[in-house]
């Protein structure tokens, strides 16, 4: 990797650190290439990304960002998982770690907040922004649906009563 490539990598990582909602740092030694490809695919499908970077370049890129405190986690073979949604990357990383013992979550960051491994796991249990939006829309729509049902209920009851009288008159 020459100087220009290193400069580009530092700029890319700085952009990632500055703009991500959450960043998860993990050790990946012992994972096969196929397992790493599976992790990348799962992250991509969920709307997150994974990057393996030289720790030294990542530490340089951390300077001047809100997440500079995760620099101490960058030791050994580390992988960075990040997403704009603060829940997506931790959720996928924790789910992947359950099935792969060699994928060890070291910690992470959400904005200026430092997360230990338990904090990342707690963040993974929260619903994502899309799930929260869907719940909110459901809550907003529910009263309107109930109101519509209540307004049509008396008419439906009257129709059933008239229908019962009509059947009774036909039978008599």
């Amino acid at each position: 990797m020459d100087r220009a490539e290193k400069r580009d990598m530092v700029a890319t990582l700085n952009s990632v650190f500055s703009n991500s909602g959450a960043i998860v740092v993990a050790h990946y030694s012992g994972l096969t290439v196929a397992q790493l490809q599976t992790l990348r695919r799962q992250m991509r499908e969920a709307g997150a990304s994974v990057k393996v970077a030289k720790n030294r370049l990542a530490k340089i890129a951390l300077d001047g960002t809100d997440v500079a405190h995760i620099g101490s986690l960058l030791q050994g073979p580390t992988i960075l998982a990040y997403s704009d949604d603060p829940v997506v990357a931790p959720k996928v990383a924790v789910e992947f770690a359950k099935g792969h013992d060699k994928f060890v979550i070291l910690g992470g960051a959400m904005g200026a907040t430092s997360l230990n491994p338990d904090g990342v796991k707690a963040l993974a249990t929260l619903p994502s922004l899309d799930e929260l939006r869907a719940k909110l829309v459901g809550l907003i729509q529910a009263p309107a649906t109930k109101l519509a049902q209540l307004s049509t209920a008396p008419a439906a009851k009257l129709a059933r009563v008239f229908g019962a009288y009509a059947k009774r008159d036909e039978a008599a």
Side-chain angles (χ1 to χ4, degrees):
M1 192 180 252
D2 66 354
R3 284 180 180 247
E5 289 174 330
K6 288 179 182 180
R7 210 172 295 116
D8 291 342
M9 177 63 99
V10 168
T12 302
L13 286 173
N14 189 285
S15 172
V16 164
F17 293 142
S18 298
N19 301 325
S20 295
I23 300 169
V24 178
V25 181
H27 276 170
Y28 68 95
S29 64
L31 291 178
T32 64
V33 172
Q35 290 169 332
L36 281 174
Q37 287 175 338
T38 302
L39 174 63
R40 288 178 195 275
R41 185 175 26 78
Q42 289 173 352
M43 287 283 187
R44 190 172 40 256
E45 289 170 356
S49 299
V50 174
K51 191 173 279 303
V52 176
K54 292 184 137 215
N55 291 337
R56 184 72 191 124
L57 296 178
K59 286 179 183 179
I60 292 169
L62 280 171
D63 288 340
T65 64
D66 290 341
V67 295
H69 49 81
I70 65 169
S72 62
L73 300 175
L74 298 174
Q75 295 177 353
T78 54
I79 193 166
L80 302 167
Y82 55 93
S83 63
D84 292 335
D85 184 339
V87 177
V88 172
K91 190 173 282 196
V92 175
V94 167
E95 194 62 36
F96 187 79
K98 286 180 184 175
H100 301 87
D101 294 336
K102 294 183 179 181
F103 187 77
V104 180
I105 295 174
L106 302 175
M110 183 179 72
T113 307
S114 180
L115 301 171
N116 61 12
D118 293 330
V120 172
K121 289 175 185 168
L123 192 58
T125 61
L126 296 175
S128 69
L129 286 176
D130 289 338
E131 292 170 358
L132 286 174
R133 287 181 185 129
K135 287 180 182 181
L136 183 62
V137 168
L139 288 173
I140 291 171
Q141 286 181 340
T145 305
K146 288 182 182 178
L147 186 63
Q149 290 172 346
L150 288 175
S151 66
T152 59
K157 285 183 183 177
L158 279 176
R160 283 195 291 275
V161 169
F162 288 142
Y165 277 122
K167 285 183 186 176
R168 190 184 74 182
D169 288 343
E170 285 178 10

